[in-house]
Each structure stands twice: as structure tokens, then as C-alpha cells.
Amino acid sequence: MSEPMRQSTLTCPGCGHSSIETMPTNACVYFHECAHCGLLLQPRPGDCCVFCSYGSVPCPPVQLQKPCCG
């Protein structure tokens, strides 16, 4: 894979709401507020960001099997 996917569908573990979000390539996203219920998503233990925990696609560094921010 030469270019990582930049979009991932985040699914709130609280209410099940999904939203398509664009992932940064130069930073981890540690927090994301659900637009539906307001729950503040945080990475699960062992994950580097909310995309790795709740996304349909992991963050770009993980996709490329490179070190991440976490």
C-alpha cells in the first residue's frame, strides 16, 4: 500500500452513531465528541487514537505499519 486511506467511519460505542471523518497523517486524534449523544471518545487501552479504537480504518501510521504517536 503506497498511500494510506485518509477517511474512516467512526462509530460511537455509546449510541451507535456513525460519522465519516478525515484522519490527519501527522498527528493522533485522542478525543472525538460524538455529534449525536455528546460522548467523548478516547482510545481504548493499547490503541494510539480513536480511529484505531472505533474507526472502520486504523490511522495512517498503523496502516503503513510504522510507529504511531501512542
Side-chain angles (χ1 to χ4, degrees):
M1 178 185 292
S2 60
E3 289 292 319
M5 294 178 67
R6 293 281 318 276
Q7 290 193 324
S8 182
T9 302
L10 284 179
T11 302
C12 176
C15 71
H17 176 76
S18 295
S19 62
I20 297 172
E21 304 292 336
T22 300
M23 299 180 281
T25 57
N26 60 350
C28 286
V29 178
Y30 297 111
F31 303 103
H32 176 81
E33 185 176 341
C34 176
H36 186 259
C37 72
L39 181 68
L40 187 62
L41 281 63
Q42 296 177 278
R44 293 181 189 140
D47 285 342
C48 62
C49 66
V50 294
F51 292 105
C52 289
S53 292
Y54 306 107
S56 61
V57 177
C59 69
V62 170
Q63 290 179 53
L64 297 172
Q65 298 178 338
K66 293 183 177 183
C68 198
C69 306

